[in-house]
Amino acid sequence: MAKTYEGGVPLAEVVRSGFVEGSHRGSVVVLDAAGAVLAGAGDVTSPVFPRSASKPMQAVGMLRAGLRLTDPADLALVAASHAGEEFHLARVGGLLRGGGLEPSALHCPPELPVGEAARQAVLRAGGGPTRVQMNCSGKHAGMLLTCLAAGWPLDGYWREGHPLQQRLRATVEELTGEQVAAVGVDGCGAPVHAFSLTGLAGAYLRLVHAEPGSAERAVADAMRAHPELVGGTEAEDTRLMRGVPGALAKVGAEGVIAVALPDVGAVALKIDDGAGRPRMPVLVSALHRLGVAAPILQEYAELPLFGGGVPVGAVRPLW
């Protein structure tokens, strides 16, 4: 039986008008450039579901299984949780057409875009949920194309026992250096694997330190070259990769984010209650421990709270 995640410690507090009205618990680990633990808080050795922060590793597995994409921007989209903006949807459509596939081949559920601006645009136009708009549609398109390249059946490509998913699990285990402790069903319907935050940070470090020409380096380079495809115009991971030279970043649901910088180190964290608002202030605090400084980090050092339309407090890191 897998070791159970023990939960974290207070990582951020919510201060309104000088009064602490709440806090967020979680776990965070900081690795140095050699992969050794430099600092940590909470439980960083027990398994958690990193959710979409696993996508870069899954993209590596797809390349190893035979996926061939001529445009690195397409590879960035395969590793993405896109916001559903027009340029995201157009590229997903192009991937599907390149494989002779229809959107109905995607197993991810029909949804509205996760990006607020894109969602409102769809609603104003009288549109509704579609599979292509779902934030994991790039990953699912990549999975379908990988199956075509490898000669695997498309039917059930999302199921744990499918050859594709077995190959992706093996890649995750190799990159994290851990055995998968549990397998669940992610929000998009594909498998999600449980491993530790330390394993997650180590995997990201391996991607940015990989040799040029390797599948690992191809994914890291594609994401960093096309950050707007990984998240969206205003997404946290997109803005981090734009603002911190060399950074590889990816968010995951339930308060997860992982970041790595070559020759510097890596960070992985999880907010226990799944809230997104303390994620970036805690990450900034962790990156400061690696000596990382950039104007974009100052923007995220605290999250402002408003009362009556004006700032009256902040979500700020405790660690």
Side-chain angles (χ1 to χ4, degrees):
M1 183 176 179
K3 180 182 177 183
T4 302
Y5 175 61
E6 296 176 357
V9 299
L11 293 180
E13 63 181 2
V14 183
V15 182
R16 182 179 297 275
S17 304
F19 180 82
V20 178
E21 67 172 345
S23 64
H24 293 279
R25 302 174 68 89
S27 300
V28 54
V29 65
V30 182
L31 305 184
D32 65 19
V37 175
L38 180 67
D43 184 359
V44 301
T45 60
S46 297
V48 298
F49 282 139
R51 304 296 295 276
S52 286
S54 294
K55 286 177 178 174
M57 291 176 276
Q58 294 172 321
V60 170
M62 291 183 225
L63 289 179
R64 290 180 176 179
L67 177 64
R68 295 293 178 266
L69 299 170
T70 57
D71 188 345
D74 288 333
L75 182 56
L77 189 67
V78 169
S81 298
H82 66 73
E85 297 172 79
E86 284 297 329
F87 61 91
H88 295 127
L89 307 185
R91 193 166 286 274
V92 174
L95 284 172
L96 292 172
R97 287 192 298 274
L101 300 168
E102 296 293 329
S104 58
L106 297 169
H107 180 69
C108 53
E111 289 188 2
L112 289 168
V114 296
E116 182 61 27
R119 179 194 301 255
Q120 293 303 321
V122 170
L123 294 174
R124 283 195 303 270
T130 68
R131 295 183 188 278
V132 171
Q133 289 172 168
M134 200 272 171
N135 75 93
C136 299
S137 63
K139 178 182 79 173
H140 278 255
M143 288 179 173
L144 286 164
L145 293 177
T146 302
C147 289
L148 290 176
W152 293 327
L154 300 185
D155 184 44
Y157 74 88
W158 62 89
R159 294 196 174 96
E160 182 184 353
H162 191 280
L164 169 70
Q165 299 302 335
Q166 292 297 301
R167 184 69 63 89
L168 299 190
R169 172 175 175 157
T171 302
V172 166
E173 291 182 330
E174 176 190 333
L175 293 175
T176 61
E178 299 180 7
Q179 294 294 306
V180 165
V183 181
V185 179
D186 213 338
C188 66
V192 59
H193 304 106
F195 46 86
S196 74
L197 290 171
T198 302
L200 177 61
Y204 274 56
L205 202 56
R206 290 183 181 93
L207 264 61
V208 298
H209 283 164
E211 290 295 322
S214 65
E216 297 95 318
R217 184 64 174 272
V219 171
D221 287 350
M223 293 173 67
R224 291 180 292 185
H226 303 279
E228 72 284 351
L229 290 170
V230 175
T233 304
E234 297 300 324
E236 293 168 349
D237 42 18
T238 293
R239 298 193 73 221
L240 273 172
M241 288 189 283
R242 283 177 176 162
V244 182
L248 174 69
K250 184 71 187 71
V251 300
E254 297 299 322
V256 175
I257 191 168
V259 179
L261 290 99
D263 303 317
V264 176
V267 174
L269 68 89
K270 174 178 173 58
I271 304 301
D272 286 355
D273 62 11
R277 67 180 184 175
R279 178 168 52 194
M280 292 302 287
V282 175
L283 175 68
V284 170
S285 178
L287 289 173
H288 284 165
R289 293 167 186 258
L290 289 170
V292 180
I296 187 67
L297 298 184
Q298 289 304 111
E299 294 183 31
Y300 285 117
E302 293 187 352
L303 179 75
L305 293 180
F306 294 88
V310 298
V312 296
V315 179
R316 62 192 187 192
L318 290 171
W319 182 80

